[in-house]
Amino acid sequence: MELAVIEGCDVAVWLRGDEAVLLGTPQYYESSRLLRYLEYRQVRAVRLVIAADHGEQVGSGLLELAARYPVDGVVGPNDAYILAQLARALPEVPVYAGGYATLEVLGGAQIDVQTPGGDLVI
């Protein structure tokens, strides 16, 4: 597993083979840089997007990402409004509430996400 930080982009990318997990949601002005990087790394699917609890979680960058790559799930902050907006923007993608989450993605690797709330295992 590899963690990549892209210059000029607030999204960190965990990579394993041709799958990725994004820490953060791409903003409009950084989405093209992120998409070029994912294409360069030959990513075929984004297993999970972990949305921040600040800023613009739902924007054209996230929508463009979801249009170009299959996204298996989104973990949003423990905020009903933001979760509803994520679910409305990405109706085909499961949206999970924030909380301590053990996520089995990227070929069985575990990713732990801890925010206020209860346990969630996917």
Side-chain angles (χ1 to χ4, degrees), residues 1 14 16 19-24 46-51 71-77 94-115 118-122:
M1 187 179 279
W14 273 319
R16 185 172 188 173
E19 298 178 324
V21 169
L22 304 184
L23 292 172
V46 174
R47 306 298 282 167
L48 189 71
V49 175
I50 301 171
V71 177
D72 292 343
V74 175
V75 174
V95 176
Y96 304 100
Y100 178 81
T102 300
L103 305 168
E104 303 230 8
V105 295
L106 298 179
Q110 282 192 351
I111 297 173
D112 295 334
V113 179
Q114 189 170 0
T115 61
D119 290 343
L120 170 68
V121 178
I122 299 172

Side-chain angles (χ1 to χ4, degrees), residues 2-106:
E2 178 182 349
L3 178 63
V5 179
I6 303 163
E7 184 178 347
C9 188
D10 291 335
V11 178
V13 182
W14 273 319
L15 297 159
R16 185 172 188 173
D18 59 358
E19 298 178 324
V21 169
L22 304 184
L23 292 172
T25 51
Q27 301 299 313
Y28 170 74
Y29 58 87
E30 54 190 28
S31 64
S32 63
R33 185 171 286 178
L34 174 64
L35 292 171
R36 280 194 313 266
Y37 180 77
L38 295 176
E39 184 178 311
Y40 167 75
R41 294 302 302 263
Q42 299 179 350
V43 169
R44 69 168 178 78
V46 174
R47 306 298 282 167
L48 189 71
V49 175
I50 301 171
D53 64 355
H54 60 277
E56 183 184 353
Q57 294 84 4
V58 181
S60 60
L62 180 60
L63 298 176
E64 187 176 354
L65 172 79
R68 300 231 343 236
Y69 289 94
V71 177
D72 292 343
V74 175
V75 174
N78 199 8
D79 180 301
Y81 175 77
I82 294 171
L83 293 172
Q85 293 300 312
L86 287 167
R88 183 178 299 149
L90 304 169
E92 303 294 320
V93 178
V95 176
Y96 304 100
Y100 178 81
T102 300
L103 305 168
E104 303 230 8
V105 295
L106 298 179

